[in-house]
């Protein structure tokens, strides 16, 4: 079956702009995670959804970052007033339940100029 | 510093040799997972081991967990050039969080 997909694969934007990154999880997976990864580092947790609700958003760095999952499937990560330090690969992962193996998407490479 | 720290940071071995990498963490955990990341972006799940388990096997992979030492090891036997990748451990603490914390990874290079 289809894996986790993310769009766009690459996004270049200017400092101060707003961006949306989309994640399509595996059908039937209730758990969805967003991470970001900088070069040479491991993924850094941002937010976890159980169904439609954000069960843990402790990793969001500040209030410029927001994520939604209105129908319990597709999720959108929204970044306002982007800064150069937001440049990273943003990864989405889904799993059947909270403590099962996570299936990762290919990521969105965000570059803020 | 990160909850999960892999050791060594980099490892270079010949094809056919075994590769061992270690992960240390700081708090009590619910489970520990190992992932592989090839150059590019996708992470692939390898093994999940729960806090009440001590050892798991999957093909050429063997994972151990020592909760008293807060450490885990990943052994890859009879390595192949295709095993060249970065390997990460990820842990979730037991107390009131769904946050998975990844270490900085071990970069494994298998020479043909």
């Amino acid at each position: 079956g289809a894996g986790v997909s993310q769009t766009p694969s690459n996004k270049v934007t200017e400092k101060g702009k707003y961006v949306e990154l989309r994640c399509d999880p595996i059908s039937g997976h209730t758990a969805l995670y967003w991470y970001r990864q900088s070069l040479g580092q491991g993924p850094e947790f941002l937010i976890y959804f159980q169904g439609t609700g954000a069960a843990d958003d402790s990793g969001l760095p500040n209030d410029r970052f927001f994520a939604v999952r209105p129908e319990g499937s597709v999720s959108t990560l929204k970044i306002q007033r982007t800064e150069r330090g937001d440049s990273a690969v943003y990864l989405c992962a889904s799993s059947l339940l909270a403590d099962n193996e996570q299936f990762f998407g290919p990521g969105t490479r965000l570059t803020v100029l | 510093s990160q909850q999960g720290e892999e050791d060594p940071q980099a490892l270079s071995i010949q094809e056919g040799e075994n590769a061992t990498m270690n992960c240390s963490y700081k708090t009590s955990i619910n489970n520990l997972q190992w992932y592989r990341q090839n150059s590019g972006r996708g992470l692939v799940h390898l093994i999940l081991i729960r806090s009440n388990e001590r050892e798991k096997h999957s093909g050429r992979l063997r994972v151990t967990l020592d909760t008293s030492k807060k450490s885990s090891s990943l052994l890859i036997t009879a390595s192949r050039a295709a095993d060249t990748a970065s390997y990460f451990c990820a842990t979730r603490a037991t107390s009131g969080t769904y946050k998975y914390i990844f270490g900085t990874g071990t970069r494994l290079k298998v020479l043909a």
Side-chain angles (χ1 to χ4, degrees), chain A residues 21-53:
Chain A
L21 312 179
R22 177 187 167 107
C23 172
D24 280 86
I26 293 172
S27 177
H29 280 193
T30 60
L32 186 146
Y33 303 80
W34 281 99
Y35 298 89
R36 70 178 176 182
Q37 187 176 25
S38 300
L39 194 63
Q41 301 295 313
E44 174 193 6
F45 171 86
L46 295 176
I47 188 169
Y48 164 73
F49 286 91
Q50 180 61 42
T52 60

Side-chain angles (χ1 to χ4, degrees), chain B residues 7-66:
Chain B
D7 161 56
Q9 290 188 331
L11 181 60
S12 187
I13 60 174
Q14 295 291 325
E15 207 166 29
E17 293 180 339
N18 295 343
T20 299
M21 50 205 90
N22 304 294
C23 168
S24 60
Y25 56 90
K26 293 178 180 168
T27 66
S28 296
I29 59 169
N30 176 286
N31 67 81
L32 184 146
Q33 304 186 33
W34 284 93
Y35 288 83
R36 183 186 74 224
Q37 186 175 38
N38 294 91
S39 61
R41 295 171 237 167
L43 280 95
V44 173
H45 182 269
L46 298 176
I47 288 186
L48 181 153
I49 187 163
R50 300 199 183 276
S51 59
N52 61 352
E53 297 176 307
R54 292 297 166 258
E55 187 170 313
K56 284 189 90 166
H57 296 256
S58 176
R60 293 183 296 112
L61 306 181
R62 172 177 169 253
V63 166
T64 62
L65 179 64
D66 187 335

Side-chain angles (χ1 to χ4, degrees), chain B residues 61-98:
Chain B
L61 306 181
R62 172 177 169 253
V63 166
T64 62
L65 179 64
D66 187 335
T67 52
S68 67
K69 294 181 179 177
K70 293 187 170 59
S71 68
S72 173
S73 67
L74 170 66
L75 169 67
I76 304 173
T77 60
S79 63
R80 305 166 181 168
D83 295 328
T84 295
S86 291
Y87 292 81
F88 297 92
C89 66
T91 54
R92 180 170 88 78
T94 50
S95 54
T97 177
Y98 290 96

